PDB file of all heavy atoms in Angstrom:
ATOM      1  N   GLY L 176       0.769  -1.234  -0.013  1.00 90.00           N
ATOM      2  CA  GLY L 176       0.048   0.011   0.017  1.00 90.00           C
ATOM      3  C   GLY L 176       0.870   1.239  -0.042  1.00 90.00           C
ATOM      4  O   GLY L 176       0.514   2.243  -0.772  1.00 90.00           O
ATOM      5  N   ILE L 177       1.841   1.159   0.782  1.00 89.00           N
ATOM      6  CA  ILE L 177       2.756   2.484   0.829  1.00 89.00           C
ATOM      7  C   ILE L 177       3.441   2.721  -0.460  1.00 89.00           C
ATOM      8  O   ILE L 177       3.538   3.819  -0.951  1.00 89.00           O
ATOM      9  CB  ILE L 177       3.747   2.288   2.036  1.00 89.00           C
ATOM     10  CG1 ILE L 177       3.126   2.366   3.310  1.00 89.00           C
ATOM     11  CG2 ILE L 177       4.940   3.375   1.898  1.00 89.00           C
ATOM     12  CD1 ILE L 177       4.028   2.089   4.487  1.00 89.00           C
ATOM     13  N   THR L 178       3.895   1.635  -1.083  1.00 83.00           N
ATOM     14  CA  THR L 178       4.704   1.748  -2.382  1.00 83.00           C
ATOM     15  C   THR L 178       3.637   2.279  -3.446  1.00 83.00           C
ATOM     16  O   THR L 178       4.018   3.116  -4.251  1.00 83.00           O
ATOM     17  CB  THR L 178       5.315   0.433  -2.756  1.00 83.00           C
ATOM     18  OG1 THR L 178       6.108  -0.113  -1.746  1.00 83.00           O
ATOM     19  CG2 THR L 178       6.129   0.588  -4.063  1.00 83.00           C
ATOM     20  N   ALA L 179       2.522   1.574  -3.423  1.00 88.00           N
ATOM     21  CA  ALA L 179       1.481   2.034  -4.463  1.00 88.00           C
ATOM     22  C   ALA L 179       1.154   3.507  -4.205  1.00 88.00           C
ATOM     23  O   ALA L 179       0.847   4.267  -5.296  1.00 88.00           O
ATOM     24  CB  ALA L 179       0.355   1.093  -4.392  1.00 88.00           C
ATOM     25  N   GLY L 180       0.966   3.930  -3.010  1.00 89.00           N
ATOM     26  CA  GLY L 180       0.588   5.253  -2.671  1.00 89.00           C
ATOM     27  C   GLY L 180       1.614   6.262  -3.112  1.00 89.00           C
ATOM     28  O   GLY L 180       1.364   7.360  -3.669  1.00 89.00           O
ATOM     29  N   ILE L 181       2.848   5.939  -2.926  1.00 83.00           N
ATOM     30  CA  ILE L 181       4.026   6.701  -3.395  1.00 83.00           C
ATOM     31  C   ILE L 181       3.982   6.921  -4.946  1.00 83.00           C
ATOM     32  O   ILE L 181       4.231   7.981  -5.463  1.00 83.00           O
ATOM     33  CB  ILE L 181       5.377   6.205  -2.943  1.00 83.00           C
ATOM     34  CG1 ILE L 181       5.408   6.404  -1.428  1.00 83.00           C
ATOM     35  CG2 ILE L 181       6.499   6.859  -3.578  1.00 83.00           C
ATOM     36  CD1 ILE L 181       6.630   5.662  -0.771  1.00 83.00           C
ATOM     37  N   VAL L 182       3.756   5.793  -5.655  1.00 82.00           N
ATOM     38  CA  VAL L 182       3.669   5.811  -7.141  1.00 82.00           C
ATOM     39  C   VAL L 182       2.453   6.731  -7.587  1.00 82.00           C
ATOM     40  O   VAL L 182       2.503   7.453  -8.502  1.00 82.00           O
ATOM     41  CB  VAL L 182       3.491   4.415  -7.564  1.00 82.00           C
ATOM     42  CG1 VAL L 182       3.286   4.458  -9.100  1.00 82.00           C
ATOM     43  CG2 VAL L 182       4.818   3.549  -7.367  1.00 82.00           C
ATOM     44  N   ALA L 183       1.354   6.683  -6.751  1.00 88.00           N
ATOM     45  CA  ALA L 183       0.165   7.388  -7.141  1.00 88.00           C
ATOM     46  C   ALA L 183       0.256   8.804  -6.930  1.00 88.00           C
ATOM     47  O   ALA L 183      -0.443   9.569  -7.723  1.00 88.00           O
ATOM     48  CB  ALA L 183      -0.987   6.715  -6.311  1.00 88.00           C
ATOM     49  N   LEU L 184       1.076   9.243  -5.999  1.00 87.00           N
ATOM     50  CA  LEU L 184       1.130  10.658  -5.666  1.00 87.00           C
ATOM     51  C   LEU L 184       1.337  11.565  -6.913  1.00 87.00           C
ATOM     52  O   LEU L 184       0.605  12.514  -7.127  1.00 87.00           O
ATOM     53  CB  LEU L 184       2.221  10.886  -4.566  1.00 87.00           C
ATOM     54  CG  LEU L 184       2.525  12.422  -4.203  1.00 87.00           C
ATOM     55  CD1 LEU L 184       1.170  13.027  -3.642  1.00 87.00           C
ATOM     56  CD2 LEU L 184       3.637  12.527  -3.202  1.00 87.00           C
ATOM     57  N   PRO L 185       2.534  11.464  -7.513  1.00 87.00           N
ATOM     58  CA  PRO L 185       2.761  12.457  -8.665  1.00 87.00           C
ATOM     59  C   PRO L 185       1.632  12.190  -9.783  1.00 87.00           C
ATOM     60  O   PRO L 185       1.367  13.217 -10.362  1.00 87.00           O
ATOM     61  CB  PRO L 185       4.132  11.954  -9.277  1.00 87.00           C
ATOM     62  CG  PRO L 185       4.319  10.520  -8.825  1.00 87.00           C
ATOM     63  CD  PRO L 185       3.626  10.552  -7.428  1.00 87.00           C
ATOM     64  N   LEU L 186       1.173  11.100 -10.069  1.00 87.00           N
ATOM     65  CA  LEU L 186       0.191  10.923 -11.051  1.00 87.00           C
ATOM     66  C   LEU L 186      -1.094  11.629 -10.622  1.00 87.00           C
ATOM     67  O   LEU L 186      -1.799  12.158 -11.507  1.00 87.00           O
ATOM     68  CB  LEU L 186      -0.159   9.534 -11.245  1.00 87.00           C
ATOM     69  CG  LEU L 186       1.086   8.666 -11.829  1.00 87.00           C
ATOM     70  CD1 LEU L 186       0.756   7.179 -11.940  1.00 87.00           C
ATOM     71  CD2 LEU L 186       1.407   9.144 -13.311  1.00 87.00           C
ATOM     72  N   ALA L 187      -1.464  11.525  -9.351  1.00 90.00           N
ATOM     73  CA  ALA L 187      -2.733  12.104  -8.890  1.00 90.00           C
ATOM     74  C   ALA L 187      -2.618  13.588  -9.054  1.00 90.00           C
ATOM     75  O   ALA L 187      -3.614  14.303  -9.613  1.00 90.00           O
ATOM     76  CB  ALA L 187      -2.936  11.855  -7.403  1.00 90.00           C
ATOM     77  N   LEU L 188      -1.525  14.206  -8.693  1.00 89.00           N
ATOM     78  CA  LEU L 188      -1.303  15.696  -8.824  1.00 89.00           C
ATOM     79  C   LEU L 188      -1.352  16.061 -10.282  1.00 89.00           C
ATOM     80  O   LEU L 188      -2.009  17.025 -10.749  1.00 89.00           O
ATOM     81  CB  LEU L 188       0.079  16.125  -8.189  1.00 89.00           C
ATOM     82  CG  LEU L 188       0.224  15.977  -6.740  1.00 89.00           C
ATOM     83  CD1 LEU L 188       1.613  16.107  -6.270  1.00 89.00           C
ATOM     84  CD2 LEU L 188      -0.763  16.767  -5.911  1.00 89.00           C
ATOM     85  N   ALA L 189      -0.619  15.249 -11.157  1.00 87.00           N
ATOM     86  CA  ALA L 189      -0.687  15.607 -12.562  1.00 87.00           C
ATOM     87  C   ALA L 189      -2.012  15.471 -13.230  1.00 87.00           C
ATOM     88  O   ALA L 189      -2.418  16.380 -14.035  1.00 87.00           O
ATOM     89  CB  ALA L 189       0.371  14.612 -13.262  1.00 87.00           C
ATOM     90  N   PHE L 190      -2.723  14.413 -12.939  1.00 89.00           N
ATOM     91  CA  PHE L 190      -4.059  14.267 -13.512  1.00 89.00           C
ATOM     92  C   PHE L 190      -5.073  15.358 -13.046  1.00 89.00           C
ATOM     93  O   PHE L 190      -5.889  15.828 -13.815  1.00 89.00           O
ATOM     94  CB  PHE L 190      -4.655  12.839 -13.153  1.00 89.00           C
ATOM     95  CG  PHE L 190      -3.920  11.682 -13.869  1.00 89.00           C
ATOM     96  CD1 PHE L 190      -3.705  10.554 -13.226  1.00 89.00           C
ATOM     97  CD2 PHE L 190      -3.626  11.879 -15.220  1.00 89.00           C
ATOM     98  CE1 PHE L 190      -3.091   9.482 -13.918  1.00 89.00           C
ATOM     99  CE2 PHE L 190      -3.055  10.777 -15.905  1.00 89.00           C
ATOM    100  CZ  PHE L 190      -2.794   9.540 -15.330  1.00 89.00           C
ATOM    101  N   GLY L 191      -4.821  15.751 -11.797  1.00 89.00           N
ATOM    102  CA  GLY L 191      -5.729  16.885 -11.317  1.00 89.00           C
ATOM    103  C   GLY L 191      -5.484  18.249 -12.098  1.00 89.00           C
ATOM    104  O   GLY L 191      -6.414  18.845 -12.453  1.00 89.00           O
ATOM    105  N   VAL L 192      -4.161  18.468 -12.299  1.00 86.00           N
ATOM    106  CA  VAL L 192      -3.765  19.651 -13.105  1.00 86.00           C
ATOM    107  C   VAL L 192      -4.383  19.511 -14.525  1.00 86.00           C
ATOM    108  O   VAL L 192      -4.931  20.480 -15.076  1.00 86.00           O
ATOM    109  CB  VAL L 192      -2.269  19.876 -13.148  1.00 86.00           C
ATOM    110  CG1 VAL L 192      -1.982  21.035 -14.114  1.00 86.00           C
ATOM    111  CG2 VAL L 192      -1.746  20.220 -11.714  1.00 86.00           C
ATOM    112  N   SER L 193      -4.216  18.393 -15.085  1.00 85.00           N
ATOM    113  CA  SER L 193      -4.640  18.203 -16.409  1.00 85.00           C
ATOM    114  C   SER L 193      -6.144  18.242 -16.656  1.00 85.00           C
ATOM    115  O   SER L 193      -6.617  18.715 -17.744  1.00 85.00           O
ATOM    116  CB  SER L 193      -4.186  16.794 -16.894  1.00 85.00           C
ATOM    117  OG  SER L 193      -4.619  16.487 -18.241  1.00 85.00           O
ATOM    118  N   SER L 194      -6.853  17.851 -15.549  1.00 87.00           N
ATOM    119  CA  SER L 194      -8.369  17.826 -15.656  1.00 87.00           C
ATOM    120  C   SER L 194      -8.836  19.366 -15.715  1.00 87.00           C
ATOM    121  O   SER L 194     -10.004  19.525 -16.298  1.00 87.00           O
ATOM    122  CB  SER L 194      -8.918  17.141 -14.469  1.00 87.00           C
ATOM    123  OG  SER L 194      -8.756  17.909 -13.322  1.00 87.00           O
ATOM    124  N   GLY L 195      -8.175  20.287 -15.150  1.00 84.00           N
ATOM    125  CA  GLY L 195      -8.589  21.619 -15.135  1.00 84.00           C
ATOM    126  C   GLY L 195      -9.166  22.050 -13.781  1.00 84.00           C
ATOM    127  O   GLY L 195      -9.466  23.199 -13.507  1.00 84.00           O
ATOM    128  N   LEU L 196      -9.206  21.100 -12.802  1.00 90.00           N
ATOM    129  CA  LEU L 196      -9.683  21.440 -11.532  1.00 90.00           C
ATOM    130  C   LEU L 196      -8.607  21.558 -10.475  1.00 90.00           C
ATOM    131  O   LEU L 196      -8.851  21.962  -9.269  1.00 90.00           O
ATOM    132  CB  LEU L 196     -10.662  20.210 -11.043  1.00 90.00           C
ATOM    133  CG  LEU L 196     -11.970  20.191 -11.776  1.00 90.00           C
ATOM    134  CD1 LEU L 196     -12.885  19.132 -11.044  1.00 90.00           C
ATOM    135  CD2 LEU L 196     -12.778  21.487 -11.784  1.00 90.00           C
ATOM    136  N   GLY L 197      -7.294  21.409 -10.847  1.00 88.00           N
ATOM    137  CA  GLY L 197      -6.273  21.560  -9.954  1.00 88.00           C
ATOM    138  C   GLY L 197      -5.666  20.349  -9.303  1.00 88.00           C
ATOM    139  O   GLY L 197      -6.435  19.390  -9.311  1.00 88.00           O
ATOM    140  N   PRO L 198      -4.528  20.415  -8.783  1.00 89.00           N
ATOM    141  CA  PRO L 198      -3.848  19.211  -8.137  1.00 89.00           C
ATOM    142  C   PRO L 198      -4.633  18.658  -7.030  1.00 89.00           C
ATOM    143  O   PRO L 198      -4.658  17.376  -6.790  1.00 89.00           O
ATOM    144  CB  PRO L 198      -2.482  19.681  -7.739  1.00 89.00           C
ATOM    145  CG  PRO L 198      -2.644  21.283  -7.619  1.00 89.00           C
ATOM    146  CD  PRO L 198      -3.616  21.547  -8.684  1.00 89.00           C
ATOM    147  N   SER L 199      -5.282  19.512  -6.175  1.00 91.00           N
ATOM    148  CA  SER L 199      -6.032  19.062  -5.124  1.00 91.00           C
ATOM    149  C   SER L 199      -7.255  18.069  -5.411  1.00 91.00           C
ATOM    150  O   SER L 199      -7.456  17.067  -4.806  1.00 91.00           O
ATOM    151  CB  SER L 199      -6.658  20.140  -4.307  1.00 91.00           C
ATOM    152  OG  SER L 199      -7.519  20.917  -5.117  1.00 91.00           O
ATOM    153  N   ALA L 200      -7.836  18.296  -6.665  1.00 93.00           N
ATOM    154  CA  ALA L 200      -8.928  17.441  -7.202  1.00 93.00           C
ATOM    155  C   ALA L 200      -8.325  16.102  -7.443  1.00 93.00           C
ATOM    156  O   ALA L 200      -9.087  15.063  -7.227  1.00 93.00           O
ATOM    157  CB  ALA L 200      -9.562  18.089  -8.450  1.00 93.00           C
ATOM    158  N   GLY L 201      -7.250  16.043  -8.069  1.00 93.00           N
ATOM    159  CA  GLY L 201      -6.557  14.701  -8.333  1.00 93.00           C
ATOM    160  C   GLY L 201      -6.145  13.965  -7.084  1.00 93.00           C
ATOM    161  O   GLY L 201      -6.427  12.688  -7.004  1.00 93.00           O
ATOM    162  N   LEU L 202      -5.754  14.664  -6.122  1.00 93.00           N
ATOM    163  CA  LEU L 202      -5.286  14.038  -4.844  1.00 93.00           C
ATOM    164  C   LEU L 202      -6.511  13.605  -4.103  1.00 93.00           C
ATOM    165  O   LEU L 202      -6.572  12.511  -3.470  1.00 93.00           O
ATOM    166  CB  LEU L 202      -4.531  15.045  -3.988  1.00 93.00           C
ATOM    167  CG  LEU L 202      -3.602  14.495  -2.946  1.00 93.00           C
ATOM    168  CD1 LEU L 202      -2.685  13.496  -3.400  1.00 93.00           C
ATOM    169  CD2 LEU L 202      -2.835  15.669  -2.318  1.00 93.00           C
ATOM    170  N   TYR L 203      -7.576  14.380  -4.054  1.00 95.00           N
ATOM    171  CA  TYR L 203      -8.836  13.975  -3.275  1.00 95.00           C
ATOM    172  C   TYR L 203      -9.397  12.718  -3.968  1.00 95.00           C
ATOM    173  O   TYR L 203      -9.842  11.763  -3.286  1.00 95.00           O
ATOM    174  CB  TYR L 203      -9.862  15.055  -3.430  1.00 95.00           C
ATOM    175  CG  TYR L 203      -9.528  16.409  -2.658  1.00 95.00           C
ATOM    176  CD1 TYR L 203     -10.220  17.569  -2.891  1.00 95.00           C
ATOM    177  CD2 TYR L 203      -8.568  16.371  -1.705  1.00 95.00           C
ATOM    178  CE1 TYR L 203      -9.925  18.700  -2.080  1.00 95.00           C
ATOM    179  CE2 TYR L 203      -8.127  17.475  -0.951  1.00 95.00           C
ATOM    180  CZ  TYR L 203      -8.889  18.703  -1.169  1.00 95.00           C
ATOM    181  OH  TYR L 203      -8.571  19.882  -0.571  1.00 95.00           O
ATOM    182  N   GLY L 204      -9.407  12.742  -5.265  1.00 95.00           N
ATOM    183  CA  GLY L 204      -9.970  11.507  -6.101  1.00 95.00           C
ATOM    184  C   GLY L 204      -9.206  10.286  -5.738  1.00 95.00           C
ATOM    185  O   GLY L 204      -9.734   9.257  -5.404  1.00 95.00           O
ATOM    186  N   ALA L 205      -7.814  10.442  -5.731  1.00 95.00           N
ATOM    187  CA  ALA L 205      -6.943   9.286  -5.306  1.00 95.00           C
ATOM    188  C   ALA L 205      -7.147   8.834  -3.914  1.00 95.00           C
ATOM    189  O   ALA L 205      -7.153   7.551  -3.725  1.00 95.00           O
ATOM    190  CB  ALA L 205      -5.451   9.684  -5.541  1.00 95.00           C
ATOM    191  N   ILE L 206      -7.327   9.728  -2.966  1.00 96.00           N
ATOM    192  CA  ILE L 206      -7.586   9.246  -1.590  1.00 96.00           C
ATOM    193  C   ILE L 206      -8.866   8.454  -1.423  1.00 96.00           C
ATOM    194  O   ILE L 206      -8.824   7.309  -0.994  1.00 96.00           O
ATOM    195  CB  ILE L 206      -7.542  10.532  -0.673  1.00 96.00           C
ATOM    196  CG1 ILE L 206      -6.259  11.244  -0.567  1.00 96.00           C
ATOM    197  CG2 ILE L 206      -8.063  10.142   0.637  1.00 96.00           C
ATOM    198  CD1 ILE L 206      -6.252  12.556  -0.048  1.00 96.00           C
ATOM    199  N   PHE L 207      -9.962   9.037  -1.893  1.00 96.00           N
ATOM    200  CA  PHE L 207     -11.264   8.391  -1.618  1.00 96.00           C
ATOM    201  C   PHE L 207     -11.470   7.198  -2.501  1.00 96.00           C
ATOM    202  O   PHE L 207     -12.097   6.319  -2.068  1.00 96.00           O
ATOM    203  CB  PHE L 207     -12.375   9.422  -1.767  1.00 96.00           C
ATOM    204  CG  PHE L 207     -12.323  10.513  -0.670  1.00 96.00           C
ATOM    205  CD1 PHE L 207     -11.752  11.777  -0.974  1.00 96.00           C
ATOM    206  CD2 PHE L 207     -12.720  10.123   0.625  1.00 96.00           C
ATOM    207  CE1 PHE L 207     -11.750  12.732   0.039  1.00 96.00           C
ATOM    208  CE2 PHE L 207     -12.752  11.178   1.616  1.00 96.00           C
ATOM    209  CZ  PHE L 207     -12.148  12.370   1.330  1.00 96.00           C
ATOM    210  N   ILE L 208     -11.109   7.214  -3.748  1.00 96.00           N
ATOM    211  CA  ILE L 208     -11.360   6.151  -4.609  1.00 96.00           C
ATOM    212  C   ILE L 208     -10.446   4.924  -4.198  1.00 96.00           C
ATOM    213  O   ILE L 208     -10.963   3.784  -4.108  1.00 96.00           O
ATOM    214  CB  ILE L 208     -11.069   6.535  -6.103  1.00 96.00           C
ATOM    215  CG1 ILE L 208     -12.015   7.546  -6.553  1.00 96.00           C
ATOM    216  CG2 ILE L 208     -11.175   5.319  -6.985  1.00 96.00           C
ATOM    217  CD1 ILE L 208     -11.643   8.260  -7.850  1.00 96.00           C
ATOM    218  N   SER L 209      -9.224   5.146  -3.836  1.00 95.00           N
ATOM    219  CA  SER L 209      -8.334   4.093  -3.480  1.00 95.00           C
ATOM    220  C   SER L 209      -8.826   3.400  -2.223  1.00 95.00           C
ATOM    221  O   SER L 209      -8.934   2.142  -2.162  1.00 95.00           O
ATOM    222  CB  SER L 209      -6.928   4.636  -3.158  1.00 95.00           C
ATOM    223  OG  SER L 209      -6.010   3.703  -2.778  1.00 95.00           O
ATOM    224  N   PHE L 210      -9.315   4.229  -1.198  1.00 96.00           N
ATOM    225  CA  PHE L 210      -9.782   3.613   0.082  1.00 96.00           C
ATOM    226  C   PHE L 210     -11.091   2.790  -0.136  1.00 96.00           C
ATOM    227  O   PHE L 210     -11.247   1.685   0.250  1.00 96.00           O
ATOM    228  CB  PHE L 210      -9.896   4.689   1.091  1.00 96.00           C
ATOM    229  CG  PHE L 210     -10.263   4.163   2.497  1.00 96.00           C
ATOM    230  CD1 PHE L 210      -9.310   3.794   3.340  1.00 96.00           C
ATOM    231  CD2 PHE L 210     -11.596   4.043   2.899  1.00 96.00           C
ATOM    232  CE1 PHE L 210      -9.569   3.306   4.691  1.00 96.00           C
ATOM    233  CE2 PHE L 210     -11.957   3.515   4.085  1.00 96.00           C
ATOM    234  CZ  PHE L 210     -10.882   3.168   4.995  1.00 96.00           C
ATOM    235  N   PHE L 211     -12.096   3.531  -0.729  1.00 96.00           N
ATOM    236  CA  PHE L 211     -13.478   2.954  -0.739  1.00 96.00           C
ATOM    237  C   PHE L 211     -13.664   1.859  -1.839  1.00 96.00           C
ATOM    238  O   PHE L 211     -14.418   0.912  -1.652  1.00 96.00           O
ATOM    239  CB  PHE L 211     -14.534   4.044  -0.824  1.00 96.00           C
ATOM    240  CG  PHE L 211     -14.672   4.774   0.387  1.00 96.00           C
ATOM    241  CD1 PHE L 211     -14.122   6.061   0.454  1.00 96.00           C
ATOM    242  CD2 PHE L 211     -15.338   4.300   1.375  1.00 96.00           C
ATOM    243  CE1 PHE L 211     -14.189   6.867   1.614  1.00 96.00           C
ATOM    244  CE2 PHE L 211     -15.583   4.987   2.624  1.00 96.00           C
ATOM    245  CZ  PHE L 211     -14.936   6.259   2.750  1.00 96.00           C
ATOM    246  N   ALA L 212     -12.959   2.013  -3.008  1.00 95.00           N
ATOM    247  CA  ALA L 212     -12.955   0.990  -3.979  1.00 95.00           C
ATOM    248  C   ALA L 212     -12.318  -0.314  -3.475  1.00 95.00           C
ATOM    249  O   ALA L 212     -12.758  -1.417  -3.799  1.00 95.00           O
ATOM    250  CB  ALA L 212     -12.328   1.449  -5.208  1.00 95.00           C
ATOM    251  N   ALA L 213     -11.319  -0.182  -2.630  1.00 95.00           N
ATOM    252  CA  ALA L 213     -10.595  -1.354  -2.077  1.00 95.00           C
ATOM    253  C   ALA L 213     -11.570  -1.957  -1.031  1.00 95.00           C
ATOM    254  O   ALA L 213     -11.656  -3.278  -0.993  1.00 95.00           O
ATOM    255  CB  ALA L 213      -9.322  -0.923  -1.431  1.00 95.00           C
ATOM    256  N   LEU L 214     -12.140  -1.108  -0.224  1.00 94.00           N
ATOM    257  CA  LEU L 214     -12.992  -1.672   0.827  1.00 94.00           C
ATOM    258  C   LEU L 214     -14.236  -2.375   0.374  1.00 94.00           C
ATOM    259  O   LEU L 214     -14.419  -3.455   0.880  1.00 94.00           O
ATOM    260  CB  LEU L 214     -13.409  -0.550   1.770  1.00 94.00           C
ATOM    261  CG  LEU L 214     -14.327  -0.904   2.989  1.00 94.00           C
ATOM    262  CD1 LEU L 214     -13.634  -1.794   3.942  1.00 94.00           C
ATOM    263  CD2 LEU L 214     -14.724   0.396   3.693  1.00 94.00           C
TER     264      LEU L 214
END
């Protein structure tokens, strides 16, 4: 989980910026989707 989270960090920020909503939107998506989709 820690390794996958580290890999996900730069991608989450980059996808957030690319989407047009900013890096925080990418990070929020990564946090909640990762946790609840796994659960």
Side-chain angles (χ1 to χ4, degrees):
I177 290 174
T178 307
I181 291 171
V182 172
L184 174 63
L186 295 175
L188 296 172
F190 287 138
V192 171
S193 177
S194 72
L196 293 185
S199 58
L202 201 52
Y203 294 165
I206 290 168
F207 291 104
I208 298 169
S209 179
F210 185 89
F211 287 102
L214 179 61

